[in-house]
Coordinates of all heavy atoms in Angstrom, one line a residue:
M235 N -1.7 -12.7 -39.4 CA -1.8 -11.2 -38.9 C -3.3 -10.8 -39.1 O -4.1 -11.2 -39.9 CB -1.0 -10.3 -39.8 CG 0.5 -10.2 -39.4 SD 0.8 -9.6 -37.8 CE 0.4 -7.8 -38.0
R236 N -3.6 -9.8 -38.2 CA -5.0 -9.2 -38.3 C -4.8 -7.8 -37.7 O -3.9 -7.5 -37.1 CB -6.1 -10.1 -37.6 CG -5.7 -10.5 -36.2 CD -6.7 -11.4 -35.6 NE -8.0 -10.9 -35.6 CZ -9.0 -11.4 -36.2 NH1 -8.9 -12.6 -36.8 NH2 -10.2 -11.0 -36.3
P237 N -5.9 -7.0 -38.0 CA -5.6 -5.5 -37.5 C -5.7 -5.4 -35.9 O -6.4 -6.2 -35.3 CB -6.8 -4.8 -38.2 CG -7.8 -6.0 -38.5 CD -7.0 -7.2 -38.8
S238 N -4.9 -4.6 -35.6 CA -5.0 -4.2 -34.1 C -6.3 -3.6 -33.8 O -6.9 -2.9 -34.6 CB -3.9 -3.1 -33.7 OG -2.7 -3.6 -34.1
S239 N -6.9 -3.8 -32.6 CA -8.2 -3.4 -32.3 C -8.4 -1.8 -32.4 O -9.5 -1.4 -32.8 CB -8.6 -3.8 -30.8 OG -7.7 -3.3 -29.9
H240 N -7.2 -1.1 -32.2 CA -7.4 0.3 -32.3 C -7.5 0.9 -33.8 O -7.8 2.0 -34.0 CB -6.2 1.1 -31.5 CG -4.9 1.0 -32.2 ND1 -4.0 -0.1 -31.8 CD2 -4.3 1.6 -33.2 CE1 -2.9 0.1 -32.6 NE2 -3.1 1.0 -33.4
H241 N -7.2 -0.1 -34.6 CA -7.6 0.3 -36.1 C -8.9 0.1 -36.5 O -9.3 0.6 -37.6 CB -6.4 -0.4 -36.9 CG -5.1 0.2 -37.1 ND1 -4.1 -0.6 -36.8 CD2 -4.7 1.4 -37.2 CE1 -3.0 0.3 -36.8 NE2 -3.4 1.4 -37.2
V242 N -9.6 -0.8 -35.8 CA -11.0 -1.2 -36.3 C -11.9 -0.1 -35.9 O -11.9 0.3 -34.8 CB -11.2 -2.5 -35.5 CG1 -12.7 -2.9 -36.0 CG2 -10.3 -3.6 -35.9
T243 N -12.8 0.2 -36.8 CA -13.7 1.2 -36.6 C -15.0 0.7 -37.4 O -15.1 -0.4 -37.8 CB -13.4 2.6 -37.2 OG1 -14.4 3.5 -36.9 CG2 -13.2 2.5 -38.7
R244 N -16.1 1.5 -37.4 CA -17.4 1.0 -37.9 C -17.7 1.7 -39.2 O -17.5 2.9 -39.2 CB -18.5 1.2 -36.9 CG -18.4 0.4 -35.6 CD -18.9 -1.1 -35.9 NE -18.4 -2.0 -34.8 CZ -18.6 -3.3 -34.8 NH1 -19.2 -3.9 -35.7 NH2 -18.0 -4.0 -33.8
C245 N -18.2 1.0 -40.2 CA -18.7 1.7 -41.4 C -19.8 2.6 -41.1 O -20.7 2.1 -40.3 CB -19.0 0.7 -42.4 SG -19.9 1.3 -43.9
R246 N -19.8 3.8 -41.5 CA -21.0 4.7 -41.1 C -22.3 4.2 -41.8 O -23.3 4.6 -41.3 CB -20.6 6.1 -41.7 CG -19.8 6.9 -40.6 CD -19.7 8.3 -41.2 NE -19.1 8.3 -42.5 CZ -19.3 9.3 -43.4 NH1 -20.0 10.4 -43.1 NH2 -18.7 9.3 -44.6
R247 N -22.1 3.5 -42.8 CA -23.4 3.1 -43.6 C -23.9 1.7 -43.1 O -25.2 1.6 -43.1 CB -23.1 3.0 -45.1 CG -22.4 4.3 -45.6 CD -22.4 4.4 -47.1 NE -23.8 4.5 -47.6 CZ -24.4 5.7 -47.7 NH1 -23.9 6.9 -47.5 NH2 -25.7 5.7 -48.2
C248 N -23.1 0.8 -42.9 CA -23.7 -0.5 -42.5 C -23.3 -1.0 -41.2 O -23.5 -2.1 -40.7 CB -23.3 -1.6 -43.6 SG -21.5 -2.0 -43.7
H249 N -22.3 -0.3 -40.5 CA -21.8 -0.5 -39.2 C -21.0 -1.9 -39.1 O -20.8 -2.4 -38.0 CB -23.0 -0.6 -38.2 CG -23.8 0.7 -38.2 ND1 -23.4 1.8 -37.7 CD2 -25.0 0.9 -38.7 CE1 -24.2 2.8 -38.0 NE2 -25.3 2.2 -38.5
A250 N -20.4 -2.3 -40.3 CA -19.6 -3.5 -40.2 C -18.2 -3.0 -39.6 O -17.9 -1.8 -39.6 CB -19.4 -4.0 -41.6
A251 N -17.5 -3.9 -39.1 CA -16.2 -3.6 -38.7 C -15.2 -3.4 -39.9 O -15.0 -4.4 -40.6 CB -15.7 -4.7 -37.8
I252 N -14.5 -2.2 -39.9 CA -13.6 -1.9 -41.1 C -12.4 -1.4 -40.5 O -12.4 -0.9 -39.4 CB -14.3 -1.1 -42.2 CG1 -14.6 0.4 -41.4 CG2 -15.5 -1.6 -42.8 CD1 -15.0 1.4 -42.4
C253 N -11.4 -1.4 -41.3 CA -10.2 -0.5 -41.1 C -10.0 0.4 -42.2 O -10.3 0.1 -43.4 CB -8.9 -1.4 -41.0 SG -9.1 -2.6 -39.6
W254 N -9.4 1.6 -41.8 CA -9.0 2.5 -42.9 C -7.6 2.3 -43.3 O -6.7 2.3 -42.4 CB -9.3 4.1 -42.6 CG -10.7 4.4 -42.6 CD1 -11.5 4.4 -41.5 CD2 -11.4 4.8 -43.6 NE1 -12.7 4.9 -41.9 CE2 -12.7 5.0 -43.2 CE3 -11.2 5.0 -45.0 CZ2 -13.8 5.4 -44.1 CZ3 -12.2 5.4 -45.9 CH2 -13.5 5.6 -45.4
A255 N -7.2 2.2 -44.4 CA -5.8 2.1 -44.9 C -5.6 2.8 -46.1 O -6.4 3.3 -46.9 CB -5.7 0.6 -45.3
L256 N -4.2 3.3 -46.1 CA -3.8 4.1 -47.2 C -3.3 3.1 -48.4 O -2.6 2.2 -48.1 CB -2.7 5.0 -46.8 CG -2.9 6.0 -45.9 CD1 -1.7 6.9 -45.4 CD2 -4.0 6.9 -46.3
T257 N -3.7 3.4 -49.6 CA -3.2 2.6 -50.7 C -1.8 2.8 -51.0 O -1.4 4.0 -51.0 CB -4.0 2.8 -52.0 OG1 -3.9 4.2 -52.4 CG2 -5.6 2.5 -51.8
S258 N -1.1 1.8 -51.1 CA 0.3 2.0 -51.5 C 0.6 2.5 -52.9 O 1.6 3.1 -53.2 CB 1.1 0.6 -51.4 OG 0.5 -0.3 -52.1
A259 N -0.5 2.4 -53.8 CA -0.4 3.0 -55.1 C -0.5 4.5 -55.1 O 0.4 5.2 -55.8 CB -1.5 2.3 -55.9
N260 N -1.4 5.0 -54.4 CA -1.6 6.5 -54.6 C -1.9 7.2 -53.2 O -2.2 8.4 -53.2 CB -2.7 6.9 -55.6 CG -4.0 6.2 -55.3 OD1 -4.1 5.8 -54.2 ND2 -4.8 6.2 -56.4
G261 N -1.8 6.4 -52.0 CA -2.0 7.2 -50.8 C -3.3 7.6 -50.5 O -3.6 8.4 -49.6
R262 N -4.3 7.0 -51.1 CA -5.7 7.4 -50.9 C -6.2 6.5 -49.6 O -5.7 5.4 -49.5 CB -6.6 7.2 -52.1 CG -6.4 8.2 -53.2 CD -7.0 7.8 -54.4 NE -8.2 8.5 -54.6 CZ -8.7 8.9 -55.8 NH1 -8.1 8.4 -56.9 NH2 -9.8 9.7 -55.9
R263 N -7.2 7.0 -48.9 CA -7.8 6.2 -47.9 C -8.8 5.3 -48.5 O -9.6 5.7 -49.3 CB -8.4 7.2 -46.8 CG -7.6 7.4 -45.7 CD -8.0 8.7 -45.0 NE -9.4 8.7 -44.7 CZ -9.9 8.4 -43.5 NH1 -9.2 8.0 -42.5 NH2 -11.2 8.4 -43.3
Q264 N -8.6 4.0 -48.0 CA -9.6 2.9 -48.5 C -10.1 2.1 -47.4 O -9.3 1.7 -46.5 CB -8.9 2.0 -49.5 CG -9.8 1.0 -50.0 CD -9.1 0.1 -51.1 OE1 -8.0 0.2 -51.3 NE2 -10.0 -0.7 -51.7
P265 N -11.3 2.0 -47.2 CA -11.9 1.2 -46.1 C -11.8 -0.3 -46.6 O -12.1 -0.7 -47.7 CB -13.4 1.5 -46.0 CG -13.8 2.1 -47.5 CD -12.5 2.5 -48.0
V266 N -11.3 -1.2 -45.6 CA -11.2 -2.6 -45.9 C -11.9 -3.3 -44.8 O -11.9 -2.8 -43.6 CB -9.7 -3.2 -46.0 CG1 -9.0 -2.5 -47.2 CG2 -9.0 -2.9 -44.8
D267 N -12.4 -4.5 -45.1 CA -12.9 -5.3 -44.1 C -12.0 -5.6 -42.8 O -10.9 -6.1 -43.2 CB -13.6 -6.6 -44.5 CG -14.9 -6.3 -45.4 OD1 -15.4 -5.1 -45.3 OD2 -15.5 -7.3 -45.9
A268 N -12.4 -5.4 -41.6 CA -11.5 -5.8 -40.6 C -11.2 -7.2 -40.5 O -10.2 -7.6 -39.9 CB -12.1 -5.2 -39.2
E269 N -12.1 -8.0 -40.8 CA -12.0 -9.5 -40.7 C -11.1 -10.0 -41.9 O -11.6 -9.8 -43.1 CB -13.4 -10.2 -40.6 CG -13.3 -11.6 -40.2 CD -12.7 -11.8 -38.8 OE1 -13.0 -10.9 -38.0 OE2 -12.2 -12.8 -38.6
P270 N -9.9 -10.6 -41.6 CA -9.2 -11.1 -42.8 C -9.9 -12.2 -43.5 O -10.8 -13.0 -42.8 CB -8.0 -11.7 -42.1 CG -7.8 -11.1 -40.7 CD -9.3 -10.7 -40.3
T271 N -9.7 -12.4 -44.8 CA -10.4 -13.4 -45.5 C -9.5 -13.8 -46.7 O -8.8 -13.0 -47.3 CB -11.8 -12.9 -46.1 OG1 -12.2 -13.9 -47.0 CG2 -11.6 -11.5 -46.8
A272 N -9.6 -15.2 -46.9 CA -8.7 -15.7 -48.0 C -9.2 -15.2 -49.3 O -8.6 -15.4 -50.3 CB -8.6 -17.2 -47.8
E273 N -10.5 -14.8 -49.3 CA -11.2 -14.3 -50.6 C -10.7 -12.9 -51.0 O -10.9 -12.6 -52.1 CB -12.6 -14.3 -50.4 CG -13.3 -15.6 -49.9 CD -13.3 -16.7 -50.8 OE1 -13.9 -16.5 -52.0 OE2 -12.7 -17.7 -50.6
G274 N -10.1 -12.2 -50.1 CA -9.8 -10.8 -50.4 C -8.6 -10.7 -51.5 O -7.8 -11.6 -51.6
N275 N -8.8 -9.6 -52.1 CA -7.8 -9.3 -53.2 C -6.7 -8.2 -52.7 O -6.1 -7.6 -53.5 CB -8.4 -8.9 -54.5 CG -9.2 -7.6 -54.4 OD1 -9.5 -7.2 -53.3 ND2 -9.6 -7.2 -55.5
L276 N -6.8 -7.9 -51.5 CA -5.9 -6.9 -50.9 C -5.1 -7.4 -49.8 O -5.3 -8.5 -49.1 CB -6.7 -5.8 -50.2 CG -7.7 -5.0 -51.2 CD1 -8.5 -4.0 -50.4 CD2 -6.9 -4.4 -52.3
A277 N -3.8 -6.8 -49.6 CA -2.9 -7.2 -48.6 C -2.6 -6.1 -47.8 O -2.4 -5.0 -48.3 CB -1.6 -7.8 -49.1
V278 N -3.0 -6.1 -46.4 CA -2.9 -4.9 -45.5 C -1.7 -5.2 -44.6 O -1.5 -6.4 -44.1 CB -4.2 -4.7 -44.8 CG1 -4.3 -3.4 -44.0 CG2 -5.4 -4.7 -45.7
M279 N -1.0 -4.1 -44.3 CA 0.0 -4.3 -43.3 C 0.0 -3.0 -42.5 O -0.3 -1.8 -43.0 CB 1.4 -4.5 -43.9 CG 1.9 -3.5 -44.8 SD 3.6 -3.7 -45.3 CE 4.3 -3.3 -43.6
Q280 N 0.6 -3.0 -41.3 CA 0.9 -1.8 -40.5 C 2.3 -1.3 -40.7 O 3.2 -2.1 -40.6 CB 0.6 -2.2 -39.0 CG 0.7 -0.9 -38.1 CD 0.4 -1.2 -36.6 OE1 -0.5 -2.0 -36.5 NE2 0.9 -0.4 -35.9
G281 N 2.4 -0.1 -41.2 CA 3.8 0.4 -41.4 C 4.4 0.8 -40.0 O 3.8 0.7 -39.0
A282 N 5.7 1.1 -40.2 CA 6.5 1.4 -39.0 C 5.9 2.7 -38.3 O 6.2 3.0 -37.2 CB 8.0 1.7 -39.4
D283 N 5.2 3.6 -39.1 CA 4.6 4.9 -38.6 C 3.3 4.4 -37.8 O 2.5 5.3 -37.5 CB 4.5 5.8 -39.7 CG 3.8 5.2 -40.9 OD1 3.3 4.1 -40.9 OD2 3.7 5.9 -41.9
G284 N 2.9 3.2 -37.8 CA 1.6 2.8 -37.1 C 0.3 2.9 -38.1 O -0.8 2.7 -37.6
V285 N 0.5 3.4 -39.3 CA -0.5 3.5 -40.2 C -0.7 2.2 -41.0 O 0.3 1.6 -41.3 CB -0.2 4.7 -41.2 CG1 -1.3 4.9 -42.2 CG2 0.0 6.0 -40.4
L286 N -2.0 2.0 -41.4 CA -2.2 0.7 -42.1 C -2.0 1.1 -43.6 O -2.5 2.1 -44.1 CB -3.6 0.3 -41.9 CG -3.9 -0.2 -40.5 CD1 -5.4 -0.8 -40.5 CD2 -2.9 -1.4 -40.1
Y287 N -1.4 0.2 -44.5 CA -1.1 0.4 -45.8 C -1.8 -0.8 -46.5 O -1.8 -2.0 -46.0 CB 0.3 0.5 -46.2 CG 0.9 1.9 -45.7 CD1 1.5 1.8 -44.3 CD2 0.8 2.9 -46.4 CE1 2.1 3.1 -44.0 CE2 1.2 4.1 -46.0 CZ 1.9 4.2 -44.8 OH 2.4 5.4 -44.3
V288 N -2.4 -0.7 -47.5 CA -3.1 -1.6 -48.3 C -2.4 -1.7 -49.8 O -2.2 -0.6 -50.4 CB -4.6 -1.5 -48.5 CG1 -5.0 -0.1 -49.1 CG2 -5.3 -2.6 -49.1
R289 N -2.3 -2.9 -50.3 CA -1.8 -3.0 -51.6 C -2.7 -4.2 -52.3 O -3.3 -5.0 -51.6 CB -0.4 -3.4 -51.7 CG -0.1 -4.8 -51.3 CD 1.4 -5.2 -51.4 NE 1.6 -6.6 -50.9 CZ 1.5 -7.8 -51.5 NH1 1.2 -7.7 -52.9 NH2 1.8 -8.8 -51.0
A290 N -2.8 -4.1 -53.7 CA -3.6 -5.1 -54.3 C -2.7 -6.3 -54.4 O -1.5 -6.3 -54.7 CB -4.0 -4.6 -55.7
V291 N -3.4 -7.5 -54.3 CA -2.7 -8.8 -54.5 C -2.8 -9.1 -56.0 O -3.9 -9.3 -56.5 CB -3.3 -9.8 -53.7 CG1 -2.6 -11.2 -54.0 CG2 -3.1 -9.6 -52.1
T292 N -1.8 -9.1 -56.7 CA -1.8 -9.2 -58.2 C -1.1 -10.4 -58.6 O -0.4 -11.0 -57.9 CB -1.3 -8.0 -58.9 OG1 0.2 -7.9 -58.5 CG2 -2.0 -6.7 -58.5
V293 N -1.2 -10.7 -59.9 CA -0.4 -11.8 -60.3 C 1.1 -11.6 -60.2 O 1.9 -12.5 -59.8 CB -0.7 -12.1 -61.9 CG1 0.0 -13.2 -62.5 CG2 -2.2 -12.5 -62.0
A294 N 1.5 -10.4 -60.5 CA 2.8 -10.0 -60.4 C 3.3 -10.0 -58.9 O 4.5 -10.3 -58.6 CB 3.1 -8.6 -60.9
R295 N 2.4 -9.6 -58.0 CA 2.8 -9.6 -56.5 C 1.8 -10.4 -55.7 O 1.1 -9.9 -54.9 CB 2.9 -8.2 -56.1 CG 3.9 -7.3 -56.7 CD 3.7 -5.9 -56.5 NE 4.0 -5.5 -55.1 CZ 3.7 -4.3 -54.5 NH1 3.1 -3.5 -55.2 NH2 4.2 -4.2 -53.2
P296 N 1.9 -11.8 -55.9 CA 0.9 -12.6 -55.3 C 1.4 -12.9 -53.8 O 2.5 -12.6 -53.5 CB 0.9 -13.8 -56.2 CG 2.4 -13.9 -56.8 CD 2.8 -12.5 -56.9
G297 N 0.6 -13.5 -53.1 CA 0.9 -14.1 -51.8 C 0.9 -13.0 -50.8 O 1.1 -11.8 -51.1
I298 N 0.8 -13.5 -49.5 CA 0.7 -12.5 -48.4 C 2.0 -12.8 -47.6 O 2.4 -13.9 -47.3 CB -0.6 -13.0 -47.5 CG1 -1.7 -12.9 -48.3 CG2 -0.6 -12.1 -46.2 CD1 -2.1 -11.5 -48.8
R299 N 2.7 -11.7 -47.5 CA 4.0 -11.7 -46.7 C 3.8 -11.6 -45.3 O 2.8 -11.2 -44.8 CB 4.9 -10.5 -47.3 CG 5.1 -10.7 -48.8 CD 5.9 -9.6 -49.2 NE 5.3 -8.3 -49.2 CZ 5.4 -7.3 -50.1 NH1 6.3 -7.4 -51.1 NH2 4.8 -6.2 -50.0
P300 N 4.9 -12.0 -44.6 CA 4.8 -12.0 -43.1 C 4.5 -10.5 -42.7 O 5.1 -9.5 -43.2 CB 6.3 -12.2 -42.6 CG 6.8 -13.1 -43.8 CD 6.1 -12.6 -45.0
G301 N 3.6 -10.2 -41.7 CA 3.2 -9.0 -41.3 C 2.0 -8.4 -42.1 O 1.5 -7.4 -41.7
E302 N 1.6 -9.1 -43.1 CA 0.4 -8.7 -43.8 C -0.8 -9.6 -43.5 O -0.6 -10.7 -43.1 CB 0.7 -8.8 -45.3 CG 1.7 -7.7 -45.9 CD 1.8 -7.8 -47.4 OE1 1.5 -8.9 -48.0 OE2 2.1 -6.8 -47.9
W303 N -2.0 -9.1 -43.8 CA -3.1 -10.0 -43.8 C -4.0 -9.7 -45.1 O -3.8 -8.7 -45.6 CB -4.1 -9.9 -42.5 CG -4.6 -8.5 -42.2 CD1 -5.9 -8.3 -42.7 CD2 -4.2 -7.4 -41.5 NE1 -6.2 -6.9 -42.3 CE2 -5.1 -6.5 -41.7 CE3 -2.9 -7.2 -40.9 CZ2 -4.9 -5.1 -41.0 CZ3 -2.7 -6.0 -40.2 CH2 -3.7 -5.1 -40.4
Q304 N -4.8 -10.7 -45.4 CA -5.5 -10.6 -46.7 C -6.8 -10.0 -46.4 O -7.5 -10.6 -45.4 CB -5.6 -12.0 -47.2 CG -5.9 -12.0 -48.7 CD -5.7 -13.4 -49.3 OE1 -5.0 -14.3 -48.7 NE2 -6.1 -13.7 -50.5
A305 N -7.3 -9.2 -47.1 CA -8.6 -8.5 -46.8 C -9.3 -8.2 -48.0 O -8.8 -8.1 -49.1 CB -8.2 -7.2 -46.1
M306 N -10.7 -8.0 -47.8 CA -11.6 -7.6 -48.9 C -11.8 -6.2 -48.7 O -12.0 -5.6 -47.7 CB -12.8 -8.4 -48.6 CG -13.8 -8.1 -49.7 SD -13.5 -9.3 -51.1 CE -14.2 -10.9 -50.6
P307 N -11.8 -5.4 -49.9 CA -12.3 -4.0 -49.8 C -13.7 -3.9 -49.4 O -14.5 -4.7 -49.9 CB -12.1 -3.6 -51.3 CG -12.1 -4.8 -52.1 CD -11.5 -5.9 -51.3
H308 N -13.9 -3.0 -48.5 CA -15.2 -2.9 -47.9 C -16.2 -2.5 -48.9 O -17.5 -2.8 -48.8 CB -15.3 -1.9 -46.7 CG -16.6 -2.0 -46.0 ND1 -17.2 -3.0 -45.5 CD2 -17.6 -0.9 -46.0 CE1 -18.4 -2.8 -45.0 NE2 -18.7 -1.5 -45.3
H309 N -15.9 -1.8 -50.0 CA -16.7 -1.5 -51.0 C -17.5 -2.6 -51.6 O -18.7 -2.5 -52.1 CB -16.1 -0.7 -52.2 CG -15.4 0.6 -51.9 ND1 -16.1 1.6 -51.2 CD2 -14.1 1.0 -51.9 CE1 -15.2 2.6 -50.9 NE2 -14.1 2.2 -51.4
A310 N -16.7 -3.7 -51.6 CA -17.3 -5.0 -52.1 C -18.3 -5.6 -51.2 O -19.1 -6.5 -51.8 CB -16.2 -6.0 -52.5
T311 N -18.2 -5.5 -49.9 CA -19.1 -6.2 -49.0 C -20.1 -5.2 -48.4 O -20.9 -5.8 -47.5 CB -18.2 -6.8 -48.0 OG1 -17.6 -5.9 -47.3 CG2 -17.2 -7.8 -48.6
C312 N -20.0 -3.9 -48.4 CA -20.9 -3.0 -47.8 C -22.3 -3.4 -48.1 O -22.7 -3.4 -49.2 CB -20.5 -1.5 -48.1 SG -21.4 -0.4 -47.0
S313 N -23.1 -3.5 -47.1 CA -24.5 -3.8 -47.3 C -25.4 -2.6 -47.6 O -26.6 -2.7 -47.9 CB -25.2 -4.7 -46.2 OG -24.9 -3.9 -44.9
N314 N -24.7 -1.6 -47.4 CA -25.5 -0.2 -47.6 C -24.6 0.8 -48.3 O -24.3 1.9 -47.8 CB -26.1 0.4 -46.3 CG -26.8 1.6 -46.5 OD1 -27.4 1.8 -47.5 ND2 -27.0 2.4 -45.5
P315 N -24.1 0.5 -49.5 CA -23.2 1.3 -50.2 C -23.7 2.6 -50.6 O -25.0 2.7 -50.7 CB -22.7 0.4 -51.4 CG -23.8 -0.4 -51.7 CD -24.5 -0.6 -50.3
P316 N -22.9 3.6 -50.8 CA -23.5 4.9 -51.2 C -23.9 4.8 -52.7 O -23.5 4.0 -53.4 CB -22.3 5.9 -51.1 CG -21.0 4.9 -51.1 CD -21.5 3.7 -50.5
P317 N -24.9 5.5 -52.9 CA -25.4 5.5 -54.4 C -24.3 5.9 -55.4 O -23.4 6.8 -55.1 CB -26.5 6.6 -54.5 CG -26.3 7.5 -53.3 CD -25.5 6.6 -52.3
R318 N -24.3 5.2 -56.5 CA -23.3 5.5 -57.6 C -23.6 6.9 -58.2 O -24.6 7.2 -58.5 CB -23.3 4.5 -58.6 CG -22.8 3.1 -58.1 CD -22.7 2.1 -59.2 NE -21.6 2.2 -60.1 CZ -20.3 1.9 -59.8 NH1 -20.1 1.3 -58.6 NH2 -19.4 2.0 -60.5
R319 N -22.5 7.6 -58.3 CA -22.7 8.9 -58.9 C -22.0 9.0 -60.2 O -21.3 9.9 -60.6 CB -22.2 10.0 -58.0 CG -23.1 10.3 -56.8 CD -22.6 11.4 -55.9 NE -21.7 10.7 -54.8 CZ -21.1 11.6 -53.9 NH1 -21.2 12.8 -54.0 NH2 -20.3 11.0 -53.0
S320 N -22.4 8.1 -61.1 CA -21.8 8.0 -62.5 C -22.2 9.2 -63.4 O -21.5 9.4 -64.3 CB -22.1 6.7 -63.1 OG -23.5 6.5 -63.1
A321 N -23.3 9.9 -62.9 CA -23.7 11.0 -63.8 C -22.7 12.2 -63.6 O -22.9 13.1 -64.4 CB -25.1 11.4 -63.4
R322 N -22.1 12.2 -62.6 CA -21.2 13.4 -62.3 C -20.2 13.5 -63.5 O -19.7 12.5 -64.1 CB -20.5 13.2 -61.1 CG -21.2 13.7 -59.9 CD -20.4 13.6 -58.6 NE -19.3 14.4 -58.5 CZ -18.3 14.2 -57.7 NH1 -18.4 13.3 -56.7 NH2 -17.3 15.0 -57.7
T323 N -19.7 14.7 -63.8 CA -18.8 14.9 -64.9 C -17.5 14.5 -64.3 O -17.1 14.7 -63.1 CB -18.7 16.4 -65.3 OG1 -18.6 17.1 -64.1 CG2 -19.9 16.8 -66.0
P324 N -16.7 13.8 -65.0 CA -15.4 13.4 -64.6 C -14.4 14.5 -64.2 O -14.5 15.6 -64.8 CB -14.8 12.5 -65.7 CG -15.5 13.0 -67.0 CD -16.9 13.4 -66.4
E325 N -13.6 14.3 -63.4 CA -12.6 15.2 -62.9 C -11.8 15.8 -64.1 O -11.2 14.9 -64.9 CB -11.7 14.8 -61.9 CG -11.7 15.6 -60.6 CD -10.8 15.0 -59.6 OE1 -11.3 14.1 -58.8 OE2 -9.7 15.3 -59.5
R326 N -11.7 17.0 -64.4 CA -10.9 17.5 -65.5 C -9.5 17.5 -65.1 O -9.1 18.0 -64.0 CB -11.3 18.9 -65.9 CG -12.8 18.9 -66.6 CD -13.3 20.3 -66.7 NE -12.3 21.0 -67.5 CZ -12.4 22.4 -67.7 NH1 -13.4 23.1 -67.1 NH2 -11.6 23.0 -68.4
S327 N -8.6 17.2 -66.0 CA -7.2 17.2 -65.8 C -6.5 18.5 -66.0 O -5.4 18.7 -65.7 CB -6.5 16.2 -66.8 OG -6.8 16.4 -68.1
T328 N -7.4 19.5 -66.5 CA -6.7 20.8 -66.7 C -7.1 21.9 -65.7 O -6.9 23.0 -65.9 CB -7.4 21.3 -68.1 OG1 -8.8 21.2 -68.2 CG2 -6.8 20.5 -69.3
V329 N -7.6 21.3 -64.5 CA -7.8 22.3 -63.5 C -6.6 23.1 -63.1 O -5.6 22.5 -62.9 CB -8.4 21.6 -62.3 CG1 -8.5 22.3 -61.0 CG2 -9.7 20.9 -62.5
G330 N -6.8 24.4 -63.0 CA -5.6 25.2 -62.7 C -4.9 25.8 -63.9 O -4.2 26.7 -63.8
V331 N -5.1 25.2 -64.9 CA -4.5 25.7 -66.3 C -5.5 26.7 -66.9 O -6.5 26.3 -67.4 CB -4.1 24.6 -67.2 CG1 -3.5 25.1 -68.5 CG2 -3.3 23.6 -66.5
R332 N -5.1 27.9 -67.0 CA -5.9 29.0 -67.5 C -5.2 29.4 -68.9 O -4.1 29.5 -69.0 CB -6.0 30.2 -66.7 CG -6.6 29.8 -65.4 CD -7.4 31.1 -64.9 NE -8.2 30.9 -63.6 CZ -7.7 31.1 -62.4 NH1 -6.5 31.9 -62.3 NH2 -8.3 30.9 -61.4
P333 N -6.1 29.6 -69.9 CA -5.5 30.1 -71.1 C -5.0 31.5 -70.9 O -5.5 32.4 -70.2 CB -6.7 30.2 -72.1 CG -7.9 30.1 -71.2 CD -7.6 29.5 -69.9
V334 N -3.8 31.7 -71.4 CA -3.0 33.0 -71.3 C -3.5 33.9 -72.4 O -3.4 33.5 -73.5 CB -1.5 32.8 -71.3 CG1 -0.8 34.2 -71.2 CG2 -1.1 31.8 -70.3
P335 N -4.0 35.1 -71.9 CA -4.4 36.1 -73.1 C -3.3 36.4 -74.0 O -2.2 36.5 -73.6 CB -4.9 37.3 -72.3 CG -4.5 37.1 -70.9 CD -4.2 35.7 -70.7
W336 N -3.5 36.6 -75.2 CA -2.5 36.8 -76.2 C -2.2 38.3 -76.1 O -2.9 39.2 -76.0 CB -3.1 36.6 -77.6 CG -2.1 36.7 -78.7 CD1 -1.8 37.9 -79.5 CD2 -1.3 35.7 -79.1 NE1 -0.8 37.5 -80.3 CE2 -0.4 36.3 -80.2 CE3 -1.0 34.4 -78.7 CZ2 0.6 35.6 -80.8 CZ3 0.0 33.7 -79.4 CH2 0.8 34.2 -80.4
Q337 N -0.8 38.4 -75.9 CA -0.4 40.0 -75.7 C 0.8 40.1 -76.7 O 1.5 39.1 -77.0 CB 0.2 40.1 -74.3 CG -1.0 40.0 -73.3 CD -0.4 40.0 -71.8 OE1 0.7 40.0 -71.6 NE2 -1.3 40.3 -70.9
R338 N 1.0 41.4 -77.0 CA 2.2 41.7 -77.9 C 2.5 43.1 -77.4 O 1.9 43.8 -76.8 CB 1.9 41.5 -79.4 CG 0.5 42.2 -79.7 CD 0.5 42.2 -81.2 NE 1.7 42.7 -81.8 CZ 2.2 42.5 -83.1 NH1 1.5 41.7 -83.8 NH2 3.3 43.1 -83.6
Ligands
ZN231 ZN1 -20.4 -0.6 -45.1

């Protein structure tokens, strides 16, 4: 299997052919290389809704199933990746939780 041409787009940074897929783990959009590769650690498939889904190929779930293709995350191959922003403060898990004023 390989991606349908209408899923293939261009990376804004390096103009490589990529596909956007949703991670099966948390539904985030992830760019993957459009060209299937046996080196990839991802398995991509098109869902019944026409959306591409990507999952990690792990020891627990190895192998590529029918309808999937093996792909590399584009982050790993982008020739012009965005600068790392490790200096940013990590996302706080307490967003939206406000201390309640003490009342009596
Ligand atoms: Zn790129």
Side-chain angles (χ1 to χ4, degrees):
M235 282 288 291
R236 52 188 305 123
S238 309
S239 58
H240 68 267
H241 281 125
V242 178
T243 184
R244 295 276 163 187
C245 174
R246 273 186 305 156
R247 304 195 67 89
C248 71
H249 307 288
I252 60 166
C253 297
W254 286 99
L256 295 180
T257 62
S258 54
N260 55 17
R262 293 170 102 150
R263 264 158 51 94
Q264 178 178 10
V266 299
D267 283 358
E269 193 60 33
T271 171
E273 306 287 304
N275 62 348
L276 299 174
V278 188
M279 65 165 293
Q280 183 173 334
D283 50 5
V285 177
L286 296 183
Y287 292 93
V288 60
R289 69 176 176 90
V291 176
T292 61
V293 176
R295 296 167 71 191
I298 301 301
R299 294 180 293 214
E302 291 184 328
W303 66 89
Q304 198 167 350
M306 188 79 86
H308 184 60
H309 298 305
T311 62
C312 189
S313 60
N314 186 20
R318 290 183 79 79
R319 283 182 272 177
S320 53
R322 277 179 64 192
T323 50
E325 235 177 273
R326 289 173 57 193
S327 57
T328 52
V329 168
V331 178
R332 294 209 179 101
V334 178
W336 187 263
Q337 293 176 345
R338 53 171 302 161

